[in-house]
Amino acid sequence: MNAEVFLLAAKEIEGLNHPTDTIVPVWDLLVRIFHWSLVLFFFLAYFLDDDLIVIHSYAGYGVFLLLLFRLLWGFIGTVHAQFADFIPSPFVLRNYLRDLVRGYPERYLGHNPAGAAMIILLATSLLVTTLSGICLFALEGSGPLSETSVAHWPGGLLENIHNLFADLTLMMVVLHVGGVFLSSFMHRENLIKAMISGKKKRS
Amino acid sequence: MAILIFTAQGIILDLVQRGNLLGKRISSVSVSIDDIESFIEECGACHVAYPPGLLPVESWERIMAGLDDHFGDNAELDDTSSEAIKKYLYGNALRMGHPSNVSQMIRNLPETPPLRITELPNFLFDHEDVMLEKRKSELGNVTLSQCDECHENASSGQFH
């Protein structure tokens, strides 16, 4: 085999294994349903508060149950849904943020480290919001904790926590969407579309 | 984790039990339009016709039992109006497990609930800023019992 043929063959193999424009599935169906249901239920709960408390509570329950599902899916879900795939070490996160500031962040097929950090903060904030909401509901004799000692917890403090974390969540949503736009722009890809179709270019 | 699972299980039970979305917002006690009219006519003659959902039954019972000295005034009623008003108040009073747009008023009620809405723990928490402004005398002449000074639709139970 002469050198030229060998090189061609090598290129072809490389081309087959690493096609730059191959579309691959990244976000599975449950991850996508989770994401957009969470958006819907969060905004429902956020904007329909005291006046429509029954709908507010259903929406809040929705958020809570979705978070529990996602927690489970982070262990048994598909590749890029797994926490092990995207939870960054502080070292990796720091390096990614440094590269981001310098303008050449590495592209990730799944969540990038900054996005992953945002997701963890968002989920934690939503969990605090929903749990404090369920506690407040218990103070009014409703919901799953109404027959427990939670029903005697201080309402003022709980309400402050509930409102604070709901507002924090909203701020984080803004940052999250900002990050999505920034990343989409830097890597010339549509990440919003990817969260709808579930598919992305391999590289 | 166990707490989360326990809570999730409770949510599902709650969803199953509640079934219909708006069932609990409507009182199960049948109150006629006449009862409501007596209430608005008699009580609303002197002050805001406070929605019954703002105080628990115990408070309304004590108020109705002491109308001869109603916060310093004689507000005695004839038996017919009194009975109609009692039916309306007791049937729609603040109670545990009935989510509504004012159900948060029941949070942290003391053993003996107050007679004044303005002494409910949740009322005090929600009106901290108003009391501060009052002290700065911007709202100097308004007392906290005049809900409708700030909440236009107070007598129809809309406070937000």
Side-chain angles (χ1 to χ4, degrees):
Chain A
M1 196 188 284
N2 67 44
E4 204 180 7
V5 171
F6 180 78
L7 206 67
L8 271 173
K11 268 188 179 168
E12 192 154 13
I13 290 163
E14 195 181 327
L16 284 174
N17 287 341
H18 304 285
T20 51
D21 55 351
T22 305
I23 307 289
V24 290
V26 178
W27 311 122
D28 66 63
L29 185 65
L30 290 180
V31 163
R32 285 175 278 150
I33 292 175
F34 160 80
H35 180 273
W36 295 111
S37 316
L38 192 66
V39 172
L40 174 73
F41 285 131
F42 170 71
F43 281 105
L44 261 183
Y46 193 90
F47 290 109
L48 302 179
D49 50 3
D50 296 336
D51 283 324
L52 290 165
I53 196 71
V54 176
I55 295 173
H56 176 92
S57 69
Y58 282 125
Y61 282 172
V63 170
F64 182 82
L65 294 176
L66 281 169
L67 288 172
L68 278 196
F69 155 75
R70 191 62 188 88
L71 197 61
L72 180 73
W73 204 236
F75 293 105
I76 63 163
T78 54
V79 180
H80 293 294
Q82 295 216 5
F83 297 136
D85 180 75
F86 65 81
I87 293 185
S89 69
F91 177 75
V92 168
L93 179 61
R94 195 203 63 192
N95 284 356
Y96 180 85
L97 289 173
R98 185 197 59 206
D99 293 347
L100 183 66
V101 171
R102 289 177 181 171
Y104 49 85
E106 190 187 333
R107 180 185 182 259
Y108 285 74
L109 197 53
H111 298 297
N112 69 51
M118 188 82 256
I119 289 163
I120 296 160
L121 289 177
L122 260 171
T124 310
S125 177
L126 280 170
L127 199 61
V128 175
T129 310
T130 48
L131 278 175
S132 58
I134 289 167
C135 292
L136 277 171
F137 220 30
L139 264 61
E140 297 168 19
S142 302
L145 302 181
S146 60
E147 304 293 323
T148 69
S149 61
V150 173
H152 303 289
W153 285 6
L157 179 67
L158 279 172
E159 192 174 337
N160 282 340
I161 293 173
H162 190 63
N163 294 342
L164 172 69
F165 277 86
D167 290 340
L168 273 178
T169 304
L170 186 68
M171 279 187 253
M172 285 188 226
V173 166
V174 173
L175 282 175
H176 170 69
V177 173
V180 166
F181 275 107
L182 182 66
S183 192
S184 294
F185 174 76
M186 285 184 137
H187 300 297
R188 300 276 182 271
E189 62 180 337
N190 188 338
L191 289 178
I192 297 172
K193 209 175 111 193
M195 191 44 88
I196 297 169
S197 69
K199 296 183 177 105
K200 291 172 86 171
K201 274 187 184 170
R202 188 192 289 273
S203 55
Chain B
M1 196 65 209
I3 297 169
L4 297 184
I5 299 293
F6 172 76
T7 311
Q9 187 195 335
I11 288 174
I12 296 180
L13 271 176
D14 190 24
L15 290 174
V16 171
Q17 281 167 2
R18 279 208 263 164
N20 64 339
L21 213 65
L22 300 169
K24 283 201 175 172
R25 301 195 70 186
I26 301 155
S27 166
S28 53
V29 178
S30 64
V31 176
S32 73
I33 296 293
D34 290 344
D35 300 336
I36 301 173
E37 273 176 1
S38 313
F39 170 74
I40 292 169
E41 197 179 305
E42 297 291 350
C43 308
C46 302
H47 53 69
V48 179
Y50 299 111
L54 290 176
L55 283 175
V57 175
E58 301 92 298
S59 302
W60 288 128
E61 279 172 350
R62 281 165 57 215
I63 286 172
M64 291 307 285
L67 284 178
D68 55 320
D69 181 13
H70 188 58
F71 306 106
D73 289 314
N74 186 322
E76 278 178 296
L77 297 165
D78 65 74
D79 286 350
T80 327
S81 336
S82 175
E83 283 314 306
I85 289 167
K86 279 178 183 169
K87 212 167 111 194
Y88 176 56
L89 290 178
Y90 302 171
N92 295 282
L94 184 62
R95 60 171 65 99
M96 291 292 267
H98 284 242
S100 80
N101 61 331
V102 290
S103 57
Q104 63 184 59
M105 297 301 258
I106 207 163
R107 292 176 192 165
N108 301 127
L109 272 194
E111 195 103 346
T112 312
L115 296 182
R116 292 175 195 270
I117 295 160
T118 53
E119 286 172 7
L120 295 172
N122 187 256
F123 180 95
L124 294 169
F125 173 76
D126 278 347
H127 293 82
E128 267 173 6
D129 51 338
V130 185
M131 285 184 255
L132 225 84
E133 266 184 66
K134 252 175 76 75
R135 242 166 268 149
K136 286 189 291 178
S137 85
E138 270 176 51
L139 290 165
N141 297 322
V142 176
T143 75
L144 285 168
S145 61
Q146 291 164 283
C147 314
D148 53 351
E149 285 290 329
C150 300
H151 307 281
E152 267 177 54
N153 303 315
S155 50
S156 53
Q158 298 300 318
F159 291 92
H160 303 289

